[in-house]
Amino acid sequence: MSAHVIADDAEALAVAAALATEFRAGASARDTERRLPRAELDRLSVSGLLAVTVPAEHGGADVTALTLAEIFRLLGAADGSLAQIPQSHFAYVNVIRRQGTPQQQKFFFAELLAGRRFGNAQSEAGTKHVQDIRTRLTPQPDGSYVLTGVKHYSTGALFADWIPVLARAEDDNLHVAYVPRDAPGVTVVDDWDGMGQRTTASGTVQLADVPVPADRVLPHHLTFEGPQLHGAVAQLLHAAIDAGIAGGALAEAAEFVRTKSRPWFESGLDSAAEDPLLIQRFGELALQVRSAEALLREAARAVDAARADLTDDTAAEASVAVAAAKVQAAQAAVEVAGALFEVAGTRSALNSLNLHRHWRDARTHTLHDPTRWKIQHIGRYVLNGTRPPRHGLL
């Protein structure tokens, strides 16, 4: 695959805006038919957007967190499923940036600049909790490994060139094995049947004695030894998707009310868009969306500031700022997508219009990790100065 190489932040945002417009046009039909976005992901790869966080010394644009968050917000507003697919891609690019050897970085950054896609195989079902990882990397006499396990919620794996797999090595520490999608022993099952984000293909990855060379394994456990932004960046992108879904739902609600909704007879008005009660409600919903977008930008700037001067304090500030953005964006996505029906009226509930995809996407995506724990960490930080813990979900 040959991909364009994006030069800077401005070009990245322009490309993202153009693709978002293109992807929006078919989003409803893809969701209704559960038509997986293979062509759209190829467009994303060829555009160069998937390589925008490659460091400048390796030929990438190395865009800011502010730009990356806006890319995901734009994509999320266009298609809440499609935006979710590359989220893990960028999380595992960050693992290479932080833990990769010079040789690993040279190889994988070249792959990214060529348009290759990372998937994800990290979560497991039926374990004690989300960080109870049982997939194993077993060392071999020649220094290589054999990978065995079963992964669920593997967003992006079906469409990937490389599948980063979270696994425990012999020392029980977490590592990431970067495995080719077509490697012997890898089976990706398209069994995702979620009510929302229907076209993410977030199904199962089966790993049966998969051979993995030593230079395709990175020590992920070291990521969390010392100040880090791995979790903050990953969560920033989740917040951006939620903010995008909220904004997309509000825009579609406004268009529906302007063009299709009838005024309530007691209003005495000729247009639903002139109803002062609807105007009031749209103002309230706009505040939710604007608050989410503002906190998203603030969080992204905190991440950029921490990247420039990474300490325990700056990392904590970034994590707390991202947590606040994630809480507000999640609330806005669910509330605004649900209120769409309230403001648009009975006709908006027709299944054929598929306006419920916004709420289904919001409700599904916001289940990724509980905002109540983020509020706990914010409270502890504000009240007692307790820094948030170091893990990939904060």
Side-chain angles (χ1 to χ4, degrees), residues 15-376:
V15 169
L19 284 177
T21 299
E22 179 183 324
F23 295 159
R24 182 178 292 107
S28 180
R30 284 192 297 272
D31 177 88
T32 299
E33 301 164 14
R34 198 179 177 270
R35 175 159 41 88
L36 300 182
R38 297 181 187 276
E40 288 77 15
L41 287 170
D42 286 344
R43 292 276 294 118
L44 199 61
S45 290
V46 170
S47 76
L49 274 184
L50 296 182
V52 293
T53 58
V54 170
E57 60 267 29
H58 288 271
D62 200 8
V63 301
T64 63
L66 184 63
T67 293
L68 189 62
E70 179 63 7
I71 289 170
F72 272 80
R73 191 195 68 80
L74 289 167
L75 294 176
D79 185 337
S81 280
L82 186 55
Q84 177 63 33
I85 294 171
Q87 189 274 337
S88 290
H89 169 95
F90 284 98
Y92 285 105
V93 173
N94 278 347
V95 174
I96 295 170
R97 288 186 61 139
R98 187 171 173 92
Q99 299 302 337
T101 65
Q103 294 77 18
Q104 288 170 328
Q105 291 179 348
K106 180 180 179 181
F107 174 80
F108 279 115
F109 290 152
E111 287 284 282
L112 293 166
L113 291 170
R116 306 288 189 266
R117 295 193 291 265
F118 289 167
N120 135 55
Q122 55 185 20
S123 294
E124 300 178 13
T127 57
K128 184 177 180 181
H129 50 68
V130 70
Q131 293 198 337
D132 181 16
I133 303 298
R134 300 178 184 180
T135 299
R136 308 301 300 191
L137 271 170
T138 304
Q140 303 299 295
D142 64 357
S144 67
Y145 297 88
V146 168
L147 183 62
T148 305
V150 178
K151 297 290 189 175
H152 300 269
Y153 312 116
S154 302
T155 305
L158 190 68
F159 315 110
D161 298 289
W162 293 88
I163 303 176
V165 180
L166 200 59
R168 295 197 183 276
E170 197 174 32
D171 57 9
D172 214 36
N173 286 324
L174 281 177
H175 292 68
V176 178
Y178 289 75
V179 178
R181 164 69 176 80
D182 58 358
V186 174
T187 302
V188 181
V189 184
D190 180 21
D191 56 359
W192 170 244
D193 66 347
M195 68 173 182
Q197 296 195 309
R198 289 175 172 174
T199 62
T200 58
S202 302
T204 302
V205 173
Q206 299 168 351
L207 306 155
D209 296 329
V210 180
V212 183
D215 61 357
R216 297 292 179 262
V217 177
L218 279 71
H220 190 35
H221 62 99
L222 297 180
T223 299
F224 306 102
E225 293 184 3
Q228 53 82 36
L229 297 171
H230 179 83
V233 172
Q235 289 293 302
L236 182 71
L237 302 188
H238 282 305
I241 293 168
D242 288 339
I245 292 172
L250 183 63
E252 189 146 11
E255 176 66 16
F256 194 96
V257 170
R258 285 193 299 265
T259 61
K260 296 182 177 65
S261 295
R262 296 183 297 178
W264 184 242
F265 73 96
E266 291 179 289
S267 72
L269 299 169
D270 295 327
S271 167
E274 296 174 337
D275 184 339
L277 299 181
L278 281 178
I279 289 170
Q280 175 73 21
R281 187 65 176 128
F282 269 97
E284 293 167 351
L285 297 174
L287 285 175
Q288 289 272 18
V289 174
R290 285 174 175 259
S291 297
E293 292 173 350
L295 285 173
L296 181 69
R297 291 190 293 270
E298 179 183 291
R301 292 189 183 103
V303 170
D304 283 327
R307 282 178 61 180
D309 179 24
L310 187 59
T311 66
D312 283 330
D313 288 336
T314 61
E317 284 286 342
S319 288
V320 168
V322 171
K326 181 65 167 64
V327 170
Q328 176 61 28
Q331 292 174 348
V334 173
E335 179 175 344
V336 175
L340 183 156
F341 305 100
E342 170 197 339
V343 297
T346 306
R347 186 182 173 190
S348 65
L350 292 177
N351 196 54
S352 59
L353 296 176
N354 197 26
L355 294 177
H356 47 69
R357 72 184 184 280
H358 299 292
W359 184 87
R360 289 187 287 100
D361 285 347
R363 185 65 282 176
T364 301
H365 182 249
T366 55
L367 297 176
H368 182 271
D369 52 282
T371 56
R372 58 186 178 273
W373 275 97
K374 298 184 188 305
I375 294 171
Q376 281 282 311

